[in-house]
Amino acid sequence: MRAAIIAAALSCGLAQGATAQCRQALALGLDVSGSVDLREYRLQLDGLVAALNDPEVMQVLLAQPGAPVSMLVFEWSGPDDQIVLVPWTAITDHDDLRDISLTLARAERRVSTPGTALGTAMQFGAALLAGRSDCWKRTLDISGDGKSNQGPRPRDVRDHVATGGLTINGLVIGADAPAYGDRRQSDIGELSSYFRAEVIAGPDAFVQTALGFEDYQAAMTQKLLRELSVLAIGALQ
C-alpha cells in the first residue's frame, strides 16, 4: 500500500518550473473528507487563495526570486482519495501566484470516499516531498477537521516519513459557530492536542488553529507567514 502511495505521489507531483536553487518546498494537503460540505470546501480553497495573495505573504514568497519557494497543493480524504490540484510550481513572480490562485479558484468539489485517512495523507505528502532534495527546507502542511478513522494511524506513519529534515505542520479546523451550547474552544483544544501528539514532526513543527472554516483564511495566512518567514528573513539580511 505504501509503495503504491509513493508511486502515485511521485507520478502526479512532477515538478513544474523547478529551479536549481529552491528555498523551500511546501506541500499543502487540504481535507475534503465527508465532514467537509460544499460550503466548507469553498471556504477552504478560497481562504488559501486569499492567504497567498495577502500582501505580507506575497512579500515573503517573493523575497528571493533567485531561490524561490516551490509549492504544491493536494486534496485528501479516504485511503484511495488523494489528488494533486497544483503541481510543484516555483513562485518567482506575481504571475506564478496568479496561476496558482486561478487553478484553486476554478477547482470543483469531486466525489470522494467519506473517510478521514490522515496517516495516508501524511504518506502521500511525504512522498511528494521526497523528490525535492534540491530545496533547502521541505515542509508538509496538513489541514484537517477531525481525527483519522481509516488507514494507518498517523503516529505509526510519522516516524517513517519525518526523516531527513522534513517538517510536518498541522492546521486544525474546528466546528463553525453552533446555534447554542458553544463547545468550540474545548473541541479545538482536543483536536489540536491530537495533532501535536500524532501528526506534527520535525524541526520547528507546530499546529495552527482555525476556530471554524470561516476562520480558515486568517489561520492559513498566519501559518504561511510562520512557515516561510525564517528563510526569507535570512535571505534578505
Side-chain angles (χ1 to χ4, degrees), residues 121-194:
M122 293 164 64
Q123 290 177 324
F124 186 79
L128 291 166
L129 285 155
R132 298 315 308 264
S133 59
D134 56 313
C135 298
W136 306 339
K137 184 176 181 179
R138 295 177 299 128
T139 306
L140 172 60
D141 182 343
I142 297 287
S143 295
D145 73 340
K147 298 178 181 179
S148 187
N149 57 28
Q150 289 186 355
R153 296 188 305 174
R155 69 171 66 178
D156 296 334
V157 167
R158 182 178 55 183
D159 292 340
H160 292 289
V161 301
T163 58
L166 175 67
T167 295
I168 305 175
N169 294 327
L171 198 167
V172 171
I173 311 165
D176 290 321
Y180 59 90
D182 196 343
R183 285 178 40 87
R184 290 182 298 165
Q185 291 291 350
S186 59
D187 289 344
I188 197 72
E190 179 184 351
L191 189 56
S192 296
S193 296
Y194 173 81

Side-chain angles (χ1 to χ4, degrees), residues 103-115:
T103 298
L104 294 172
R106 292 168 178 166
E108 296 183 0
R109 182 67 187 263
R110 61 191 175 86
V111 177
S112 60
T113 54

Side-chain angles (χ1 to χ4, degrees), residues 13 53 74-75 85 106 122 127 134 142 174 185 209 214 231:
N53 288 276
F74 70 95
E75 294 179 345
L85 295 181
R106 292 168 178 166
M122 293 164 64
D134 56 313
I142 297 287
Q185 291 291 350
T209 59
E214 296 281 359
L231 287 178

Side-chain angles (χ1 to χ4, degrees), residues 6 15 18 21-22 33 39 57 67 69 74 81 84 92-94 96-97 118 130-131 163 165 169 186 210 212 225:
I6 292 173
Q21 292 291 320
C22 168
S33 57
R39 171 182 167 276
V57 173
V69 171
F74 70 95
D81 281 307
V84 171
T92 60
D93 54 33
H94 288 87
D96 296 322
L97 274 173
L118 185 51
T163 58
N169 294 327
S186 59
L225 288 172

